[in-house]
Amino acid sequence: MAVEREKMYECEVKRRRVKEGGGYEPFWKVKEVAVALSDSDTEFRCKDCYGEVKLLGRNGKAGTIPYVEHKLTADSEFCVSGLLFKKATDGREPKISAKPVE
């Protein structure tokens, strides 16, 4: 029996922009994972709970689309994008990750 995987095709990536007074400041931008990889982005987080994600499917095999999934089970259980949250039947409320990526 195949294991169902959590697949999220959008995430947030860390970018930099010029500050008004000079220098740079970091900010998070929502992007499709495939676009973020083609733009050479390196820092990713969940766009809904801000938790850590791992990048999968980027090996370039024909027909595969890169995606991310939560690193922590607790994030998947309480994130609106999480597979475990979607499968839950106990009426739980979504919440931000206990260990958000800053």
Side-chain angles (χ1 to χ4, degrees):
M1 184 168 117
V3 175
E4 189 175 1
R5 296 210 59 140
E6 175 179 76
K7 293 184 179 183
M8 298 179 292
Y9 299 102
E10 279 190 340
C11 64
E12 285 190 328
V13 296
K14 196 169 207 176
R15 306 292 297 188
R16 293 184 334 162
R17 63 179 160 222
V18 177
K19 289 186 346 185
E20 246 181 67
Y24 294 96
E25 66 181 349
F27 72 101
W28 291 94
K29 179 179 181 179
V30 176
K31 279 188 173 182
E32 289 184 21
V33 176
V35 173
L37 288 172
S38 68
D39 289 348
S40 300
D41 290 315
T42 58
E43 294 185 62
F44 303 87
R45 74 178 184 183
C46 176
K47 67 182 181 65
D48 296 309
C49 73
Y50 311 130
E52 284 186 282
V53 294
K54 53 186 165 186
L55 184 60
L56 299 162
R58 64 175 160 181
N59 56 8
K61 288 183 185 174
T64 60
I65 300 171
Y67 62 94
V68 294
E69 65 181 34
H70 288 104
K71 281 188 176 181
L72 301 174
T73 304
D75 287 346
S76 182
E77 290 174 340
F78 292 98
C79 175
V80 294
S81 295
L83 179 64
L84 298 177
F85 181 82
K86 291 175 184 175
K87 286 185 163 187
T89 58
D90 59 3
R92 64 183 65 177
E93 293 292 319
K95 62 182 180 181
I96 300 298
S97 173
K99 296 181 181 180
V101 178
E102 297 296 325

